[in-house]
């Protein structure tokens, strides 16, 4: 079982994006928007669509994911990465959980072109909504996060109580949150945390994967993509090369 992974260097932001289908009001360029709102995302009028990302030169990549989608549980994601026209890695993920689908390479690859192909013929909406995407590397600390970490949620709902005591509730949103506790970061890793938090402070999303080599269903269920904040970095063991910090990740909706 691999240590947790953080994805914070989203290469989607620097790529040239080309989609096989899009609507005029919701083009593929909307994937650069860090909001998870469907009204600000990319929409395809078809049940199968492809997205091609290209860079002037090869970049390191390992995680390929789509978030806040309207995909059905039967959706599939096929990934093909190449450099100089030569394929360097191919992968496929089946199923969508929590509106997201992820494909994780066993190790980082260098690629200047990536093609994502989505198929969801079971989708009853008649169109595919893809507000958020992450394509980029994963950073894994040498030592894993603490078992003191917790997973929670925030609920958005409106409730009205009648004179007779009956409650009428209308659900608005369900937002997952993570409290990621790490008690054994080295000096170099502490610097990495600082860079990651600076990027997050600029409004960009962070991908957290508890177990990068987990089965596809677990990847889709447990991964969280959203806004990251952090507490102070401490030195619980004095002069030893060990640091501790608490991170909070809130799912982007």
């Amino acid at each position: 079982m691999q240590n947790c992974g953080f994805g914070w260097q989203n290469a989607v932001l620097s790529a040239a994006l080309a989609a096989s289908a899009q609507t005029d009001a919701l083009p593929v360029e909307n994937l650069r928007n860090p909001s998870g709102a469907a009204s600000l995302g990319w929409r395809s009028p078809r049940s199968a669509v492809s997205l091609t990302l290209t860079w002037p030169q090869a970049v390191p990549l390992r995680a390929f994911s789509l978030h806040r989608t309207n995909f059905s549980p039967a959706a599939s994601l096929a990934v093909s990465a190449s450099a100089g026209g030569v394929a360097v890695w191919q992968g496929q993920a089946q199923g969508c959980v929590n509106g997201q689908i992820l494909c994780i390479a066993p190790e980082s690859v260098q690629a200047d072109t990536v093609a994502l192909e989505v198929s969801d013929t079971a989708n009853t909406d008649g169109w595919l909504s893809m507000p958020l995407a992450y394509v980029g590397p994963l950073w894994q600390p040498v030592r894993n996060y603490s078992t003191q970490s917790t997973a929670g949620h925030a609920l958005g709902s409106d409730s009205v109580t009648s004179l007779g005591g009956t409650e009428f509730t209308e659900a608005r949103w369900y937002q997952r949150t993570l409290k990621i506790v790490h008690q054994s970061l080295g000096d170099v890793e502490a610097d990495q945390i600082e860079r990651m938090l600076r990027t997050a402070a600029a409004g960009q999303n962070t991908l957290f994967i508890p177990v990068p080599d987990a089965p596809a269903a677990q990847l889709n269920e447990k991964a969280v993509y959203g806004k990251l904040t952090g507490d102070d970095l401490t030195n619980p063991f004095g002069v030893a090369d060990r640091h501790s910090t608490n991170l909070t990740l809130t799912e982007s909706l």
Side-chain angles (χ1 to χ4, degrees), residues 1-19:
M1 183 177 69
Q2 293 185 358
N3 289 352
C4 65
F6 293 86
W8 57 279
Q9 296 167 301
N10 195 351
V12 171
L13 304 178
S14 60
L17 306 177

Side-chain angles (χ1 to χ4, degrees), residues 72-121:
S72 74
S76 66
L77 170 65
V79 179
S80 177
S82 60
V86 179
V88 294
W89 185 76
Q90 293 181 329
Q92 188 166 0
Q94 296 284 344
C96 178
V97 183
N98 292 324
Q100 60 188 12
I101 186 168
L102 299 92
C103 196
I104 309 298
E107 57 186 21
S108 180
V109 298
Q110 295 282 336
D112 57 26
T113 303
V114 168
L116 307 180
E117 297 185 2
V118 177
S119 178
D120 191 12
T121 56

Side-chain angles (χ1 to χ4, degrees), residues 35-147:
S35 170
S39 60
L40 298 173
W42 166 39
R43 180 175 295 185
S44 166
R46 307 172 187 172
S47 60
V49 67
S50 64
L51 166 64
T52 302
L53 305 92
T54 56
W55 299 269
Q57 58 187 18
V59 295
L61 306 170
R62 190 180 173 197
F64 311 84
S65 60
L66 296 168
H67 304 268
R68 305 305 303 163
T69 75
N70 70 330
F71 296 171
S72 74
S76 66
L77 170 65
V79 179
S80 177
S82 60
V86 179
V88 294
W89 185 76
Q90 293 181 329
Q92 188 166 0
Q94 296 284 344
C96 178
V97 183
N98 292 324
Q100 60 188 12
I101 186 168
L102 299 92
C103 196
I104 309 298
E107 57 186 21
S108 180
V109 298
Q110 295 282 336
D112 57 26
T113 303
V114 168
L116 307 180
E117 297 185 2
V118 177
S119 178
D120 191 12
T121 56
N123 195 301
T124 58
D125 289 335
W127 39 266
L128 300 180
S129 176
M130 296 152 283
L132 297 172
Y134 180 84
V135 175
L138 282 181
W139 171 66
Q140 294 175 271
V142 175
R143 290 165 291 275
N144 213 0
Y145 68 109
S146 172
T147 54

Side-chain angles (χ1 to χ4, degrees), residues 36 65-75 94-102 120 129-133 151-155 173-178 207-210 215-226 250-253:
S65 60
L66 296 168
H67 304 268
R68 305 305 303 163
T69 75
N70 70 330
F71 296 171
S72 74
Q94 296 284 344
C96 178
V97 183
N98 292 324
Q100 60 188 12
I101 186 168
L102 299 92
D120 191 12
S129 176
M130 296 152 283
L132 297 172
H153 59 266
L155 300 178
W173 43 266
Y174 183 100
Q175 185 177 49
R176 295 179 298 151
T177 61
L178 296 178
L207 175 65
F208 178 74
I209 304 177
Q218 185 177 342
L219 280 175
N220 296 337
E221 181 178 5
K222 299 299 184 181
V224 176
Y225 188 57
T250 305
E251 186 176 25
S252 285
L253 300 181

